[in-house]
DNA sequence: TCTATAGTTCGTAACTTATGAACTAAAGAA
DNA sequence: TTCTTTAGTTCATAAGTTACGAACTATAGA
């Protein structure tokens, strides 16, 4: 088992962060981690936004987040405990992560609203 | 020649924006466009951050920016005129683009500083 | 020592991206 | 009109990246 790679803060790039967060599963995971007050284990994310993720894929997603510098991971027994490195990144790129998370929230809210509207329309047609 | 695709503002996604800007050439182009007060033609970017970009590649990069919703392009005669759609995006995802551009500036400044340091060290060794 | 759990690695198929070569479309010159 | 130049696009393909099942490792607990 190869060791976990956590880039030092000065090696973290904007491009790397944007690429890592340009995947819907990874932003969703990152948003959860950034909002959490304690560590989360990988298997908490086998279901993400109503989609189930194969565990090999999930493992790669965590690796991507880790190697982009977004999360810190630590093996504890059989589990992997993850936290967001948001404080550090906020120091280096102030405002970047909050802006991305807020945009992600806007988008989620818009989507939820669109789905509700669609369901209401379907009910109306059905009745 | 297929028509230019400009997604309507409500179809623009955060993931799409982040993906488009996760390429160093594209952020550099976008940063220029966003800072400009008038339109820029594609061929202005055949040189970007000291790297020359083949024009077929450049064409694809502009397509990526356009289809992510980041830029508006318009053919005028033989040229393609591009502007950033920053106002619209600011409405939908407030603060997102400013934060990315500011992070990009931080990173550019850090890199410039690192290069200067290296050059100074090289001069010292050489003398 | 056996079993279960949590995650990783590997192989491969599917997708994406970069680029040279050949192309189109407009503008201006002859 | 026809030729030439300029600016950008499209296509084919090679290179790189990603997703995921199957097989694996490492730890914990029975």
């Amino acid at each position: 088992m190869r060791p976990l790679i956590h880039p030092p803060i000065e090696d973290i790039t904007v491009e790397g962060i944007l690429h890592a967060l340009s995947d819907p599963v990874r932003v969703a995971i990152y948003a959860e981690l950034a909002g959490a007050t304690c560590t989360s284990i990988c298997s908490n994310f086998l279901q993400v936004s109503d989609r189930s993720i194969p565990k090999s894929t999930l493992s790669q997603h965590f690796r991507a987040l880790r190697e982009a510098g977004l999360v810190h991971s630590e093996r504890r027994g059989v589990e992997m405990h993850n936290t967001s490195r948001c404080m550090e990144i906020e120091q280096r790129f102030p405002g970047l992560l909050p802006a991305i998370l807020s945009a992600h929230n806007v988008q989620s809210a818009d989507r939820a609203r669109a789905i509700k509207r669609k369901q209401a329309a379907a009910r109306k047609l059905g009745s």
Side-chain angles (χ1 to χ4, degrees), chain A:
Chain A
M1 238 168 204
R2 61 170 83 109
L4 303 177
I5 293 165
H6 293 102
I9 187 68
E10 67 274 13
D11 289 357
I12 295 177
T13 64
V14 183
E15 291 88 341
I17 291 175
L18 300 189
H19 178 252
L21 298 180
S22 71
D23 177 279
V25 172
R26 286 193 299 256
V27 234
I29 292 174
Y30 184 76
E32 279 275 323
L33 286 180
T37 54
C38 60
T39 64
S40 301
I41 62 171
C42 297
S43 57
N44 288 345
F45 299 94
L46 285 167
Q47 283 284 332
V48 158
S49 10
D50 295 327
R51 216 159 82 66
S52 77
I53 314 294
K55 63 182 189 159
S56 59
T57 304
L58 193 60
S59 177
Q60 299 302 339
H61 281 319
F62 270 97
R63 181 149 86 105
L65 290 169
R66 186 167 53 241
E67 298 191 353
L70 285 162
V71 317
H72 180 92
S73 312
E74 199 189 333
R75 281 192 248 269
R76 288 198 212 149
V78 80
E79 295 169 338
M80 182 80 111
H81 287 247
N82 301 282
T83 49
S84 132
R85 292 175 67 181
C86 48
M87 309 291 211
E88 280 171 275
I89 297 176
E90 183 62 19
Q91 284 269 324
R92 178 150 159 73
F93 299 124
L96 180 59
L97 293 176
I100 294 175
L101 293 177
S102 137
H104 180 253
N105 284 337
V106 165
Q107 181 172 281
S108 306
D110 278 9
R111 280 191 185 153
R113 229 176 297 125
I115 288 168
K116 255 193 178 166
R117 226 180 304 124
K118 221 191 242 174
Q119 287 176 340
R123 258 198 308 285
K124 210 163 189 178
L125 263 169
S127 70

